[in-house]
C-alpha cells in the first residue's frame, strides 16, 4: 500500500486488467466459460481499516475503488461495533449518540483542515477547551490516546455543527452530553446570532451582509466589489491609458443596483412566520417592517404591518400595507382609492388597489402600493441614531431645496386633482435613492377617516402647515424643533438663507383663501431650475454608464459563442468536431487569451489583455498574432479577422439544424 504526501488517500494496488483469449468453439460444442474470481485480501486481524469509513465516501459520496482492493468500510448504514477494550468501558464511547455523526472516523484520519467560513471567527472560541469543558471518565484505565481522539472528534463536530454542515448520511448531534433526547426542529440561526453565541460582537460584521438580521435562512453575501479601485500612483494617466474600472459601472452604483435586486428576491417560509400562503392574488409574503417601535407599527392609531409580495397576475413585486383588525363600515370609502389610482407622479408611491381580507385570521384592510426596494424613511435617515455629543448633523441647503422642490411638485399634483395628501410626516416619506423622495401611504387616511370629500380645502391647508413643520424639522435636525419656534428660526437664520426662512414663515402662516401650493411654487422657482439642472446632469451620467454596459454586452455575446464551440463533445456525428478545422484555431485562441503563463509557469491573470483581445476580435482587425499548441510543437500565425470568420462559420454550423 502506498500513501500520498498528505497521508490522507490510500491508493490500492492496481490489479492487471488481462482479458484471456479463448479459441472459438466449433458448432454444437458447448462452450465452457472460465471465470476468474477476484479474491480480495481481508484486512489484518489487528488492523482497523476495515472498520473505518472510507474518506472517499465522506468527501465525494462514493469510492471508485470499492470492490477493487480498497480495504476501508463503504457501508454507511452499517454500524461498526468496536472490540471490547478497556477504553470502551467508559461513559463516553465512540458508538454513543454523541459521536454518531463521525463515529467511523478515527483520530488518525481526521487530519483535514478546519472549516473556515467567509467571515472571520476566532478559533479560540470555536475549539473546545479542556479547562472549561472537562470530560470525566469512569474507568481508571482510560488511555490518553482515546482522550485525544474524543477531543478531535468533538472539535470537528462542533466546527461543522455551527454552520449547519453535516454528512448527508448521518444526523447532526450534540457533543456536550452523553445522552441524546429528541428536540423539536428549530429555525437556523442568523449569522448575527451565530456570532453572538461564539462571543464575537455583531459590530464586526458588515450590517448589509445580511440585510434582515431576523431572516429565517442566512444567505451568503453578494460580492459587490468585483474590481478594486485605482491606486494613487496610477490616478494620473496619459490620454491613451485607461484603468480597468473605466470599462464597468462604478462600484457604488453597481452595489446599489445589486442591493435592490437582492432585496426584491428575498423570500421566507410563510408558515414559519405565521403568514398566509396567499392573500387575494398575492403570494410569497415577506415582512418589511422589522422594527418594534409603536410609532412605526401604528398608522394614526391603527396597528399596521408592511409586507413584500408577488402578484400572480403580472409577476411583479408590490408592497402590502395591512391595517390589522379593521372593519370597513362604509363601502363608499373604497371609491377614494380609484381617484388616487389615476395620479401618476414621480414623487408619489402609486397605489394599485385596496381590499379587505380574512387571510390573516382577522378582518384586515390591505392597500397595495408599488414596491421600492432598499428605501428608508426620512425619520430613520435623519432622526434616528443621532450623535450623543450634541453635535447637530447639518443638512446641506441644496439638499433641502431638492426635498422642497420634490414635495411641492407632489402636492401640486395632489391638490390639482381635488385631493389632500394628509401624510406629510417624516415617517411617511420614503427616500428611494440619492436625494430622491416619494410620498408614501396615499389614500390610506382618506379610507380610514372617510368624509366624502367635504373638508378637502381644510385638509389642503393642513398639508401646507405640515410641510412647514417638516422643513423646520429637517433644517434643525429635530422633530421637536416646532415646540420652540424662536430658537429654531435663530438656528435657521444662522446657517441657511433668507429664502428658506421666508418660505417657512409663509407655510406656517394663518390659513387664507389665497394661500395655496401655487404660491409656494412661485417662491421656490429659482431653485426649481437648479433642481432640473442637477437632474439632467444625473441623467447624462447614467446614460454614459449605460453605454459602457452596452459595450460589455458585445463581449459577453462573443464569449458565449466561443463557449458553444469549444470543447463540444460531438456534433454532426463527429466526436472530434471541436478539435479539427477552424474550430482548432478557436481553441488555440481561447488558450492565448485565458490560459497564458509567465516564464515561471504561473498563470497570467490580466484583465486588460483579455479585454484588448476580445475587442480586437469583435472588431475583426487585421493585426496578426501567433497561436501555439499545448505541446509547443506547432505555431500558427493568424489575424483577428480570420479568427472572427472562424467563429462565425462554426456558430452558423451549430445553428444549421444538424445534429
Amino acid at each position: 500500500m502506498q500513501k500520498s504526501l498528505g497521508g490522507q488517500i490510500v491508493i490500492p494496488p492496481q490489479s492487471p486488467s488481462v482479458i484471456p483469449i479463448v479459441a472459438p468453439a466449433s458448432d454444437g460444442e458447448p462452450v465452457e466459460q472460465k471465470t476468474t474470481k477476484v479474491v480480495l485480501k481481508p484486512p489484518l486481524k489487528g488492523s482497523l481499516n476495515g472498520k473505518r469509513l472510507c474518506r472517499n465516501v465522506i468527501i465525494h459520496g462514493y469510492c471508485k475503488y470499492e470492490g477493487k482492493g480498497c480495504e476501508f468500510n463503504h457501508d454507511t448504514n452499517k454500524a461498526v461495533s468496536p472490540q471490547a477494550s478497556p477504553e470502551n468501558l467508559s461513559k463516553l464511547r465512540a458508538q454513543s449518540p454523541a459521536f454518531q455523526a463521525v463515529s467511523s472516523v478515527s483520530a488518525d484520519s481526521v487530519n483535514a483542515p478546519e472549516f473556515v467560513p467567509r467571515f472571520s471567527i476566532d478559533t479560540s472560541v470555536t475549539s473546545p477547551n479542556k479547562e472549561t469543558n472537562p470530560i470525566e471518565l469512569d474507568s481508571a484505565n482510560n488511555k490518553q490516546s482515546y482522550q485525544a481522539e474524543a477531543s478531535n472528534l468533538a472539535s470537528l463536530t462542533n466546527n461543522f455543527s455551527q454552520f449547519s454542515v453535516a454528512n448527508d448520511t448521518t444526523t447532526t448531534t450534540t457533543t456536550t452530553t452523553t445522552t441524546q433526547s429528541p428536540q423539536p426542529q428549530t429555525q437556523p440561526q442568523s449569522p448575527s446570532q451565530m456570532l453572538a453565541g461564539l462571543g464575537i460582537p455583531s459590530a464586526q460584521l458588515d450590517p448589509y451582509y445580511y440585510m434582515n438580521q431576523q431572516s429565517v435562512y442566512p444567505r451568503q453575501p453578494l460580492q459587490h466589489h468585483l474590481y478594486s479601485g485605482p491606486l494613487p500612483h496610477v490616478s494620473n494617466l496619459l490620454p491613451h491609458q485607461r484603468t480597468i474600472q473605466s470599462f464597468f459601472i462604478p462600484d457604488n452604483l453597481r452595489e446599489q443596483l445589486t442591493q435592490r435586486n437582492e432585496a426584491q428576491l428575498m423570500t421566507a417560509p410563510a408558515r414559519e412566520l405565521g403568514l398566509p400562503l396567499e392573500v387575494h392574488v398575492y403570494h410569497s409574503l415577506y415582512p418589511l417592517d422589522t422594527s418594534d417601535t409603536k410609532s412605526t407599527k401604528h398608522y394614526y392609531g391603527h396597528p399596521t404591518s408592511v409586507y413584500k409580495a408577488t402578484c400572480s397576475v403580472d409577476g411583479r413585486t408590490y408592497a402590502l400595507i395591512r391595517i390589522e383588525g379593521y372593519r370597513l363600515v362604509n363601502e363608499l370609502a373604497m371609491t377614494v382609492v380609484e381617484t388616487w389610482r389615476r395620479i401618476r407622479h414621480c414623487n408619489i408611491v402609486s397605489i394599485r388597489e385596496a381590499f379587505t381580507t380574512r387571510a390573516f385570521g382577522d378582518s384586515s384592510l390591505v392597500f397595495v402600493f408599488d414596491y421600492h426596494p432598499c428605501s428608508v424613511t426620512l425619520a430613520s435617515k435623519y432622526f434616528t441614531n443621532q450623535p450623543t455629543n450634541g453635535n447637530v448633523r447639518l443638512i446641506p441647503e441644496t439638499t433641502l431645496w431638492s426635498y422642497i422642490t420634490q414635495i411641492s411638485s407632489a402636492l401640486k399634483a395632489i391638490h390639482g386633482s381635488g385631493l389632500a395628501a394628509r401624510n406629510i410626516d417624516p415617517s411617511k416619506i420614503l427616500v428611494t435613492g440619492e436625494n430622491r423622495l416619494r410620498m408614501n401611504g396615499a389614500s390610506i387616511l382618506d379610507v380610514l377617516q372617510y368624509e366624502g370629500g367635504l373638508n378637502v380645502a381644510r385638509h389642503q391647508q393642513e398639508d401646507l402647515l405640515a410641510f412647514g413643520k417638516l422643513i423646520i424639522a429637517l433644517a434643525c435636525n429635530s422633530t421637536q424643533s416646532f415646540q420652540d419656534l424662536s430658537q429654531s428660526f435663530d438656528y435657521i437664520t444662522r446657517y441657511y438663507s433668507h429664502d428658506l426662512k421666508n418660505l417657512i414663515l409663509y407655510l406656517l402662516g394663518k390659513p387664507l383663501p389665497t394661500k395655496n401650493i401655487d404660491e409656494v411654487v412661485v417662491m421656490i422657482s429659482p431653485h426649481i431650475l437648479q433642481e432640473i439642472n442637477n437632474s439632467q446632469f444625473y441623467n447624462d451620467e447614467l446614460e454614459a454608464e449605460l453605454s459602457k454596459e452596452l459595450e460589455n454586452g458585445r463581449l459577453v455575446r462573443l464569449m458565449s459563442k466561443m463557449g458553444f464551440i469549444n470543447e463540444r463533445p460531438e456534433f454532426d456525428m463527429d466526436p472530434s468536431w471541436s478539435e479539427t478545422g477552424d474550430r482548432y484555431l478557436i481553441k488555440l485562441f481561447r488558450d492565448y487569451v485565458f490560459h497564458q503563463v509567465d516564464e515561471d509557469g504561473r498563470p497570467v491573470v490580466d484583465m486588460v489583455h483579455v479585454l484588448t483581445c476580445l475587442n480586437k476580435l469583435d472588431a475583426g482587425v487585421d493585426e496578426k498574432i501567433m497561436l501555439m499548441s499545448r505541446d509547443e510543437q506547432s505555431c500558427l500565425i493568424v489575424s483577428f479577422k480570420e479568427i472572427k470568420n472562424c467563429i462565425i462559420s462554426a456558430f452558423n454550423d451549430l445553428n444549421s439544424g444538424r445534429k
Side-chain angles (χ1 to χ4, degrees):
M1 303 295 290
Q2 296 180 355
K3 292 186 177 181
S4 62
L5 297 177
Q8 299 291 328
I9 303 176
V10 179
I11 303 177
Q14 299 289 341
S15 58
S17 56
V18 179
I19 301 176
I21 301 177
V22 182
S26 59
D27 297 339
E29 183 179 355
V31 180
E32 181 181 359
Q33 298 181 354
K34 297 182 179 181
T35 59
T36 305
K37 297 182 178 180
V38 180
V39 180
L40 299 179
K41 184 178 179 181
L44 298 178
K45 185 175 182 180
S47 175
L48 297 176
N49 292 342
K51 303 173 183 178
R52 299 173 182 170
L53 186 63
C54 182
R55 287 190 61 82
N56 290 331
V57 177
I58 298 176
I59 299 175
H60 306 289
Y62 69 96
C63 178
K64 62 180 180 179
Y65 298 108
E66 181 179 359
K68 299 181 181 179
C70 183
E71 59 182 10
F72 290 94
N73 181 25
H74 299 88
D75 189 1
T76 58
N77 299 323
K78 182 179 179 181
V80 181
S81 59
Q83 298 177 358
S85 59
E87 293 86 349
N88 298 330
L89 300 177
S90 61
K91 287 183 179 180
L92 195 59
R93 299 181 180 180
Q95 71 272 19
S96 63
F99 297 113
Q100 281 186 357
V102 287
S103 61
S104 58
V105 183
S106 65
D108 296 336
S109 59
V110 182
N111 295 321
E114 184 181 359
F115 175 76
V116 180
R118 292 182 180 272
F119 44 84
S120 60
I121 294 180
D122 190 2
T123 56
S124 62
V125 182
T126 58
S127 59
N129 193 348
K130 293 183 179 180
E131 297 179 1
T132 57
N133 298 319
I135 300 177
E136 298 180 358
L137 301 177
D138 288 347
S139 177
N141 298 327
N142 291 322
K143 295 183 179 181
Q144 188 176 1
S145 60
Y146 183 79
Q147 295 178 358
E149 178 181 355
S151 178
N152 291 334
L153 292 175
S155 176
L156 181 64
T157 307
N158 283 332
N159 291 337
F160 281 86
S161 63
Q162 296 169 12
F163 308 97
S164 302
V165 178
N167 194 354
D168 294 337
T169 58
T170 58
T171 57
T172 305
T173 56
T174 179
T175 60
T176 57
T177 57
T178 57
T179 60
Q180 181 183 10
S181 59
Q183 298 180 356
Q185 183 180 3
T186 59
Q187 300 179 1
Q189 292 183 345
S190 64
S192 59
Q193 297 173 351
M194 188 184 301
L195 293 180
L198 297 176
I200 300 177
S202 59
Q204 299 180 3
L205 183 64
D206 189 348
Y208 177 69
Y209 272 7
Y210 296 91
M211 297 176 59
N212 187 1
Q213 295 296 333
Q214 299 179 355
S215 59
V216 180
Y217 294 101
R219 307 176 312 280
Q220 291 293 341
L222 297 179
Q223 302 297 329
H224 303 298
H225 302 285
L226 302 180
Y227 308 98
S228 58
L231 299 177
H233 64 275
V234 296
S235 57
N236 298 325
L237 301 177
L238 298 177
H240 65 279
Q241 295 178 336
R242 296 177 63 183
T243 59
I244 187 62
Q245 290 78 18
S246 62
F247 290 94
F248 306 96
I249 62 177
D251 290 339
N252 56 351
L253 180 58
R254 181 178 64 251
E255 183 174 354
Q256 180 182 2
L257 297 178
T258 307
Q259 289 178 3
R260 292 179 181 179
N261 293 337
E262 183 184 9
Q264 188 173 0
L265 298 176
M266 289 172 61
T267 57
R271 293 183 178 178
E272 297 185 8
L273 297 178
L275 299 177
L277 298 179
E278 187 175 4
V279 178
H280 191 39
V281 294
Y282 302 95
H283 60 88
S284 303
L285 272 68
Y286 188 89
L288 295 179
D289 191 2
T290 58
S291 60
D292 297 330
T293 58
K294 295 183 179 180
S295 60
T296 57
K297 288 290 187 179
H298 288 72
Y299 194 96
Y300 294 103
H302 299 275
T304 61
S305 301
V306 185
Y307 305 98
K308 175 184 69 70
T310 303
C311 181
S312 58
V313 178
D314 55 6
R316 298 181 180 180
T317 305
Y318 296 94
L320 274 59
I321 299 181
R322 169 197 170 200
I323 309 297
E324 303 176 5
Y326 181 81
R327 185 178 298 274
L328 187 64
V329 179
N330 192 350
E331 296 182 357
L332 295 177
M334 302 299 288
T335 58
V336 183
V337 179
E338 297 298 326
T339 307
W340 279 95
R341 286 185 58 186
R342 292 192 290 267
I343 298 179
R344 289 291 181 265
H345 195 272
C346 59
N347 298 117
I348 301 176
V349 180
S350 300
I351 185 172
R352 298 298 176 176
E353 63 174 335
F355 57 90
T356 57
T357 180
R358 292 185 176 272
F360 295 93
D362 61 351
S363 179
S364 299
L365 179 61
V366 179
F367 295 87
V368 181
F369 293 90
D370 289 345
Y371 175 59
H372 298 276
C374 298
S375 59
V376 296
T377 62
L378 283 176
S380 61
K381 183 176 182 179
Y382 293 108
F383 305 124
T384 57
N385 300 326
Q386 295 184 352
T388 58
N389 53 5
N391 296 329
V392 180
R393 182 175 54 181
L394 186 65
I395 301 177
E397 187 171 353
T398 55
T399 304
L400 278 180
W401 283 115
S402 177
Y403 290 167
I404 293 171
T405 302
Q406 297 177 61
I407 296 176
S408 300
S409 178
L411 289 179
K412 174 66 176 176
I414 295 174
H415 291 183
S417 301
L419 299 171
R422 308 179 68 181
N423 60 349
I424 303 180
D425 185 83
S427 61
K428 305 300 185 297
I429 299 178
L430 299 180
V431 182
T432 59
E434 186 67 24
N435 297 338
R436 181 67 182 275
L437 298 185
R438 282 185 170 90
M439 299 177 63
N440 190 28
S443 76
I444 294 182
L445 197 57
D446 291 340
V447 176
L448 298 180
Q449 301 176 4
Y450 179 69
E451 299 174 352
L454 300 178
N455 299 318
V456 175
R458 180 171 61 87
H459 293 322
Q460 291 179 354
Q461 294 293 326
E462 293 176 353
D463 288 344
L464 298 180
L465 180 61
F467 190 15
K469 294 181 180 179
L470 177 64
I471 298 176
I472 293 180
L474 292 175
C476 300
N477 199 13
S478 174
T479 56
Q480 305 297 328
S481 57
F482 187 73
Q483 305 297 332
D484 191 356
L485 289 179
S486 60
Q487 185 178 358
S488 300
F489 276 108
D490 291 341
Y491 182 84
I492 294 174
T493 305
R494 188 182 307 115
Y495 293 104
Y496 295 100
S497 62
H498 291 284
D499 293 342
L500 184 63
K501 179 181 177 181
N502 294 334
L503 175 63
I504 297 175
L505 289 175
Y506 177 79
L507 293 174
L508 298 181
K510 294 182 179 180
L512 297 174
T514 58
K515 181 182 177 181
N516 51 35
I517 191 62
D518 294 332
E519 295 295 329
V520 176
V521 173
V522 173
M523 297 179 65
I524 66 174
S525 56
H527 303 280
I528 294 178
L529 298 178
Q530 182 64 31
E531 181 68 16
I532 295 176
N533 187 29
N534 295 336
S535 300
Q536 296 297 334
F537 275 126
Y538 186 66
N539 186 38
D540 294 340
E541 182 181 356
L542 292 181
E543 288 184 357
E545 300 300 337
L546 181 61
S547 64
K548 295 180 182 179
E549 294 303 309
L550 177 65
E551 298 300 321
N552 295 336
R554 297 187 300 106
L555 303 184
V556 171
R557 289 191 296 270
L558 187 58
M559 294 178 62
S560 300
K561 291 182 179 180
M562 295 176 60
F564 286 131
I565 299 170
N566 288 324
E567 309 296 340
R568 179 167 287 275
E570 182 180 358
F571 178 72
D572 200 12
M573 306 297 292
D574 185 6
S576 61
W577 177 81
S578 61
E579 304 288 338
T580 58
D582 296 341
R583 283 78 60 187
Y584 184 66
L585 292 178
I586 303 174
K587 177 183 178 181
L588 296 183
F589 178 76
R590 189 266 311 270
D591 294 341
Y592 173 80
V593 175
F594 298 102
H595 299 164
Q596 289 198 5
V597 295
D598 57 8
E599 59 274 5
D600 297 329
R602 292 189 295 265
V604 176
V605 183
D606 188 0
M607 184 64 71
V608 177
H609 171 72
V610 173
L611 295 177
T612 301
C613 293
L614 293 179
N615 279 297
K616 291 180 179 180
L617 176 64
D618 186 66
V621 299
D622 294 330
E623 179 182 348
K624 296 184 180 295
I625 57 176
M626 183 179 66
L627 304 179
M628 182 179 297
S629 61
R630 295 185 176 181
D631 56 3
E632 300 182 356
Q633 299 298 321
S634 59
C635 298
L636 298 175
I637 299 178
V638 295
S639 64
F640 286 99
K641 183 177 181 180
E642 295 172 348
I643 300 176
K644 180 179 180 181
N645 294 333
C646 293
I647 293 177
I648 294 175
S649 176
F651 190 73
N652 291 335
D653 291 342
L654 295 178
N655 289 331
S656 61
R658 302 196 305 269
K659 297 181 180 180

